[in-house]
Amino acid sequence: MNEIKQKLQQIKARIRKAAEKSNRNPESIRLVAVSKTVPAKIIRQAIEAGVTILGESYIQEARTKISAVSLPSASISWHFIGHLQTNKARDAVRLFDLIHSVDSFKLAAALNREAEKIHKIQPVLIQVNIAAEASKSGIATQAAQNLIADISTLRSVKVNGLMTMPPYFNNPAKARPYFDELRLLRDQLQKNMNAELTPNLSLHELSMGMSGDFETAIAAGATLVRIGTAIFGERN
Ligand SMILES: *Cc1c(COP(=O)(O)O)cnc(C)c1O
């Protein structure tokens, strides 16, 4: 068994254990293997070992790698998790099944225009800057509801949930309040929005948790965990 396969099995076992510990169905948590900076050859090993969702942060890099990996792509889903510039919207809708990092109406409108051109409904998540860190992207917590209401008027973009990156802590337990806050925000938004004009909105996805804190995120309700280092090793 190669190293990637071994690491992947360990991660999957940890996801299962964390789910069971908080009485959640392990099937309700999906692993996004974050493959930024990882060469196509290693990505192929991960796919052979059972990875079904890959996460990339840079459009240029993803474009080259997605065509290089070129395995029976029907079974592989590519997610965009990095900061997305409006001028990359065209590539983003062509390459990615889910975009985790929408944080402005301008970006959503650009994605909508490009998705319309290829007759696609583009699923997205809203990135929320829960800790209001100046260094991080994401919409402010208080502004999330208006943003989602505005995006809900766009016909070719569909909001499926929320994403966040808490501040970095050595002790993952310290990230717990931020994960809880994202879940509570989701519950509140779901309730408010469905009571208003958007009965069809379903914010079922919570994208939170990385190599250092995914078990904490699962305890708080994560449905998508984004794990790079713990599968592929340290990035340069
Ligand atoms: C790189 C990255 C990850 C993966 O981080 P690891 O600590 O390597 O697991 C997750 N989410 C986002 C948004 C990232 O940019």
Side-chain angles (χ1 to χ4, degrees):
M1 181 159 41
N2 67 41
E3 201 182 345
I4 297 287
K5 189 161 186 178
Q6 215 167 3
K7 291 231 178 88
L8 191 64
Q9 290 190 352
Q10 286 163 3
I11 294 296
K12 284 186 170 170
R14 285 171 61 187
I15 290 173
R16 218 176 306 119
K17 206 164 149 202
E20 280 159 5
K21 214 168 139 188
S22 41
N23 291 312
R24 298 187 56 201
N25 180 356
E27 306 281 307
S28 68
I29 298 141
R30 293 188 293 156
L31 168 64
V32 179
V34 175
S35 52
K36 64 185 180 214
T37 78
V38 176
K41 177 169 162 271
I42 306 290
I43 296 178
R44 253 184 248 116
Q45 285 182 11
I47 295 169
E48 279 155 21
V51 158
T52 57
I53 309 174
L54 290 150
E56 287 284 340
S57 294
Y58 309 101
I59 292 288
Q60 189 63 43
E61 182 191 341
R63 196 166 43 193
T64 334
K65 282 197 317 203
I66 291 173
S67 54
V69 166
S70 68
L71 279 171
S73 58
S75 55
I76 303 300
S77 183
W78 292 87
H79 289 190
F80 190 77
I81 63 171
H83 178 67
L84 184 57
Q85 289 168 305
T86 305
N87 64 7
K88 301 273 169 45
R90 182 178 186 278
D91 282 330
V93 302
R94 281 168 170 76
L95 295 171
F96 293 100
D97 301 302
L98 181 65
I99 297 169
H100 291 226
S101 49
V102 171
D103 62 359
S104 74
F105 183 74
K106 182 171 168 247
L107 173 58
L111 293 170
N112 185 64
R113 272 193 303 279
E114 295 299 336
E116 218 159 44
K117 285 184 199 162
I118 57 170
H119 309 288
K120 178 184 185 185
I121 308 282
Q122 176 66 55
V124 305
L125 306 180
I126 303 301
Q127 182 173 352
V128 185
N129 189 355
I130 289 280
E133 289 174 281
S135 61
K136 294 226 170 92
S137 311
I139 183 93
T141 304
Q142 320 80 265
Q145 180 159 326
N146 280 339
L147 177 61
I148 295 174
D150 289 344
I151 295 177
S152 300
T153 65
L154 302 171
R155 286 211 308 237
S156 301
V157 169
K158 187 166 177 292
V159 181
N160 282 350
L162 307 178
M163 180 272 229
T164 201
M165 285 178 87
Y168 176 78
F169 298 105
N170 271 321
N171 174 2
K174 294 211 168 123
R176 178 70 193 253
Y178 300 94
F179 295 142
D180 283 336
E181 203 177 315
L182 192 75
R183 187 192 68 251
L184 292 170
L185 175 66
R186 187 276 307 274
D187 294 348
Q188 191 62 50
L189 292 174
Q190 182 78 69
K191 196 165 131 230
N192 294 353
M193 310 273 313
N194 288 3
E196 290 185 21
L197 304 165
T198 51
N200 294 328
L201 185 77
S202 166
L203 302 172
H204 51 280
E205 302 286 10
L206 286 176
S207 168
M208 54 190 196
M210 319 198 328
S211 292
D213 57 16
F214 67 89
E215 283 135 324
T216 306
I218 289 170
T223 63
L224 289 160
V225 289
R226 311 178 307 266
I227 300 177
T229 311
I231 298 172
F232 297 111
E234 293 289 342
R235 291 178 292 272
N236 304 327

